[in-house]
Amino acid sequence: MARYPDSLIDLIRERIDLLELVGRRVALKKQGTAWLGLCPFHNEKTPSFSVRPDKGYKCFGCGAGGDAFKFLMQTKGIGFAEAVEELAAMSGVPLPRDAHAEDPEMVRRAEHRRQILALLAEVREFYQKSLSAPGGQRARHYLTQRGLKPETVQQEKLGYAPAGWNALLDRFGGGEAAVELLEAAGLVTRKAAGERPYDRFRDRIVFPIHDLKGHCVGFGGRLMGPGEPKYLNSPETDVFQKGKLLYGLETAREAIRKEGSVLVVEGYMDRLSLVDQGVLPVVATLGTAMTPDHLRLLWQQTRKIHFCFDGDAAGEKAAWKALEMFFDGLESDHHAAFLFLPPGEDPDQVVRREGAAGFARRISGGIAPIDFLIRRLGEGLNGTEPEGRAALMHRAKPLLAKVKDPLLRELYLQTLGQRLQIPHAFAPVSPRVDDPAPYVAPRPTRRSQPLRPVVAGRTLAAAQRNHEQALLALILRHPRLMREREEELSRLPLENAQLSALLTELIERARASDDPIGHGTTEWFSSPELTRCAQEVLAAEEVSPELVDQEFAGCLISVHVKSLRRERMQLMRRIDLEGDGDHALTIRCRALKLEEQRVLGQKIIRDEGR
Ligand SMILES: [Zn+2]
């Protein structure tokens, strides 16, 4: 990529009318020396986006800011070099030829590519005109029947490839070189080398496919009546590789940036229906399976992908492939959700029935990758049995092992472990409301049963939280307890994040004040959430005064034991997945186990002394 001298950049910046450039995307109103508008980079109702033609732009809401180059890069998702090219063309500043310009082969190939792109642009226009010509009447009728608005047809540059074998050849095929170019662009084909060429797309609705620069690089074509194949794509050419192209990505880019996410569907018409109904931003694979290149392309644009699949076996299979790709080489800050439509329905039917708002609700109700994984891998397994859980863990291992970031992999394993304790992920179990006996020492856990912690229909997390809650309730009512056991409490890891925050704040207060609870004040805690949390905790039943100390000691031990157990389970999952080369993890596991028994021993002694 050519590097441009600063003087040239300055010249372009000087010549560009920033107000005009920004004004193409943002409605601006003059206010003092600046112009104000709604920020294109975040959603807002009152303008905090300000432009000063001589200085640049700045958003006081989200902090976006910069010059003309930055604006183009941010709104279009392009690189600096591309922004320079575009603004140079806009301002009429000639750019020096790039470094490759001297290589004759490069020059020839670049020229050939340019010719193909120019031809495709002309053909796109030809198809568009054919749609509105008398011969395109049936195609227009078809699109109306499918419910597409004329604006959508226009905006998406849909066209019609006329019937017959020679429409393009007649129009663009004068001379051998022209026919060769049509062939190189994938627009005409032959039964065999040397035989007569004929048009590839005949009597079809055509969907132009664009690259990220907005060049038309190929077409998808759909039959209106019966016949095979229903959909036809351009063949692979110098400019068209369907595994690296997504339908609608170029037009969706701005909306992707604004929304921070993208919806991916499987076909042309699915995407068009959604766009037509105002569901944004949405892209489609070209009627083919998702590829790792598609995924890379999308990650360049966004951190969150919503995958939409039909609710049939084929959709489930495609979704699974997407999930495998999602985990493969997954980076932190990549998010996905899987949306499955009702069986037998496609996005078109659903959005026409439920509207954009209904579809948006479905999008936000998509399931997380880990839940999809559990649902799919848990098929045929009994989730109430340790063996079922272990089997699922084993099935999930190879998949999660693909996650490259070790921390992320660990987090997924943790989440999987937590999810596996939720019985309804599998066959339903009869709910039991009685409290599980919390102080029973766990049976020695064998490797074949790594996921034992579920207690008879109640999750460990729930039982755990109850003891954590009870502990906090005692402290809130009897602050002296905290002073007596401050050391121990400050080292005690709670599972519930909010209770943990509450405890931390209480301990800090206890160090600074005699009345850490701040009796008589309602807004004592640093946030309304914590205040609410404290109120919830205090809603629990009070313990009779003579039992307070005993209860407190019991809760403390219970929470302690469970935190040790939690840590040990996480280690075991790690050993299960990664193995333990130098036995460090196994040794740590044993130490935790001993510690657990020691703490439980206190409990037994305490109980005997009752
Ligand atoms: Zn902003």
Side-chain angles (χ1 to χ4, degrees):
M1 193 56 71
R3 281 214 50 192
Y4 304 106
D6 290 345
S7 56
L8 184 74
I9 301 300
D10 290 341
L11 181 67
I12 296 171
R13 196 186 288 115
E14 214 168 88
R15 290 216 186 157
I16 279 292
D17 179 0
L18 183 65
L19 214 52
E20 198 263 335
L21 181 74
V22 175
R24 291 179 189 188
R25 282 168 196 267
V26 183
L28 295 167
K29 268 193 186 152
K30 184 130 199 227
Q31 198 159 73
T33 52
W35 295 72
L36 277 181
L38 294 175
C39 178
F41 305 113
H42 80 279
N43 277 317
E44 61 175 9
K45 294 216 170 68
T46 49
S48 49
F49 183 78
S50 147
V51 184
R52 296 181 62 154
D54 52 335
K55 297 234 161 62
Y57 66 94
K58 173 92 197 154
C59 171
F60 299 100
C62 67
D67 59 6
F69 298 102
K70 190 78 185 289
F71 185 78
L72 221 53
M73 288 159 71
Q74 285 196 320
T75 48
K76 292 193 151 186
I78 56 178
F80 181 68
E82 283 173 282
V84 171
E85 279 174 33
E86 200 161 316
L87 290 180
M90 221 183 274
S91 58
V93 175
L95 288 182
R97 299 223 263 149
D98 69 29
H100 301 305
E102 305 314 313
D103 180 347
E105 173 58 17
M106 291 292 286
V107 174
R108 197 195 60 74
R109 280 179 53 184
E111 178 55 26
H112 186 61
R113 224 183 108 87
R114 256 195 298 280
Q115 284 174 349
I116 292 177
L117 292 176
L119 175 64
L120 283 162
E122 281 183 59
V123 170
R124 182 186 69 193
E125 203 176 312
F126 170 74
Y127 284 153
Q128 271 187 285
K129 281 185 180 147
S130 305
L131 182 63
S132 35
Q137 206 244 331
R138 200 162 67 91
R140 289 198 298 279
H141 179 68
Y142 174 82
L143 292 172
T144 314
Q145 256 197 332
R146 290 296 301 254
L148 290 185
K149 299 185 188 92
E151 304 92 89
T152 306
V153 173
Q154 181 67 30
Q155 178 196 305
E156 297 293 329
K157 302 183 168 70
L158 300 192
Y160 169 64
W165 300 84
N166 305 313
L168 287 189
L169 280 166
D170 288 348
R171 176 72 192 260
F172 300 97
E176 208 175 303
V179 174
E180 261 171 38
L181 196 62
L182 279 168
E183 212 169 353
L187 294 166
V188 303
T189 183
R190 302 171 202 256
K191 284 253 183 307
E195 291 200 23
R196 281 169 55 92
Y198 58 91
D199 287 3
R200 175 180 297 272
F201 297 101
R202 302 177 305 278
D203 197 21
R204 283 174 185 264
I205 301 282
V206 281
F207 313 93
I209 298 149
H210 298 96
D211 68 9
L212 282 180
K213 287 190 171 174
H215 299 132
C216 175
V217 291
F219 298 94
R222 191 195 197 285
L223 283 181
M224 291 167 275
E228 286 293 326
K230 194 156 87 173
Y231 283 95
L232 180 68
N233 284 323
S234 288
E236 303 286 297
T237 69
D238 282 356
V239 297
F240 186 88
Q241 285 104 35
K242 63 175 179 290
K244 294 181 181 176
L245 288 162
L246 286 162
Y247 182 50
L249 183 58
E250 198 257 335
T251 35
R253 269 211 290 188
E254 209 180 324
I256 292 173
R257 247 142 238 279
K258 220 161 156 179
E259 294 295 318
S261 67
V262 66
L263 175 71
V264 191
V265 295
E266 289 188 283
Y268 298 102
M269 284 309 290
D270 289 339
R271 171 177 172 265
L272 285 173
S273 304
L274 292 169
V275 169
D276 192 75
Q277 294 293 306
V279 177
L280 279 173
V282 47
V283 300
T285 52
L286 308 183
T288 55
M290 183 85 122
T291 69
D293 282 323
H294 285 144
L295 215 53
R296 263 195 293 281
L297 207 54
L298 288 169
W299 290 135
Q300 282 167 14
Q301 311 291 330
T302 184
R303 302 275 111 196
K304 170 121 201 196
I305 303 175
H306 299 276
F307 296 99
C308 175
F309 294 98
D310 295 350
D312 55 13
E316 179 93 4
K317 203 176 153 196
W320 184 252
K321 283 195 79 171
L323 182 81
E324 285 178 315
M325 266 181 260
F326 171 77
F327 280 126
D328 201 356
L330 184 65
E331 287 174 26
S332 51
D333 203 25
H334 279 182
H335 309 271
F338 290 78
L339 158 65
F340 292 93
L341 299 175
E345 293 198 291
D346 58 25
D348 179 52
Q349 290 164 296
V350 175
V351 75
R352 300 223 176 263
R353 187 178 63 235
E354 300 177 0
F359 205 90
R361 270 195 297 280
R362 282 185 183 271
I363 293 174
S364 52
I367 66 173
I370 199 80
D371 291 318
F372 177 42
L373 180 146
I374 291 173
R375 183 178 97 184
R376 172 89 185 207
L377 291 183
E379 273 166 24
L381 293 180
N382 182 351
T384 62
E385 297 288 329
E387 288 77 7
R389 290 162 196 281
L392 195 148
M393 199 67 182
H394 282 293
R395 288 181 185 180
K397 264 196 265 177
L399 202 61
L400 291 178
K402 287 180 171 182
V403 177
K404 286 209 179 77
D405 182 335
L407 176 66
L408 200 60
R409 189 168 61 224
E410 177 66 20
L411 288 173
Y412 264 108
L413 282 167
Q414 277 183 24
T415 314
L416 180 61
Q418 283 164 5
R419 291 286 208 286
L420 288 180
Q421 290 159 13
I422 300 170
H424 68 238
F426 300 91
V429 295
S430 51
R432 284 191 36 188
V433 286
D434 53 326
D435 202 53
Y439 299 129
V440 173
R443 273 181 280 162
T445 314
R446 284 184 288 117
R447 280 291 294 272
S448 59
Q449 300 181 348
L451 298 163
R452 202 150 169 88
V454 173
V455 211
R458 287 197 46 166
T459 67
L460 178 67
Q464 175 86 14
R465 196 170 54 249
N466 287 350
H467 285 103
E468 292 182 351
Q469 246 168 353
L471 188 74
L472 264 297
L474 285 163
I475 294 172
L476 279 165
R477 288 190 177 116
H478 312 279
R480 68 170 172 85
L481 293 171
M482 188 162 43
R483 279 192 293 274
E484 287 162 14
R485 307 288 283 267
E486 194 203 300
E487 239 295 293
E488 204 174 339
L489 283 170
S490 63
R491 279 186 287 111
L492 192 67
L494 298 192
E495 190 176 27
N496 182 287
Q498 210 158 46
L499 293 175
S500 176
L502 187 63
L503 181 60
T504 307
E505 203 161 311
L506 284 170
I507 291 168
E508 277 165 13
R509 269 277 150 160
R511 285 174 183 156
S513 153
D514 281 344
D515 182 15
I517 312 304
H519 288 96
T521 54
T522 48
E523 299 196 350
W524 188 84
F525 294 100
S526 61
S527 75
E529 286 77 29
L530 278 190
T531 306
R532 209 172 311 127
C533 178
Q535 284 163 349
E536 269 167 36
V537 164
L538 284 172
E541 235 177 279
E542 248 181 277
V543 177
S544 55
E546 68 276 13
L547 290 175
V548 164
D549 287 77
Q550 197 179 327
E551 273 290 319
F552 182 67
C555 283
L556 211 54
I557 289 171
S558 176
V559 171
H560 191 174
V561 163
K562 279 173 182 157
S563 78
L564 291 168
R565 216 173 281 178
R566 208 159 58 228
E567 194 183 339
R568 195 158 53 85
M569 288 304 157
Q570 283 166 8
L571 279 174
M572 286 173 64
R573 275 181 219 123
R574 239 176 92 185
I575 294 171
D576 235 34
L577 186 87
E578 298 170 2
D580 181 14
D582 53 6
H583 294 292
L585 299 177
T586 313
I587 290 165
R588 173 87 187 118
C589 253
R590 250 180 244 145
L592 285 167
K593 177 88 191 174
L594 286 174
E595 174 71 4
E596 199 176 308
Q597 278 162 351
R598 188 188 63 78
V599 178
L600 279 166
Q602 289 178 7
K603 163 70 188 164
I604 292 159
I605 292 162
R606 214 174 56 82
D607 280 355
E608 281 168 353
R610 237 179 220 182

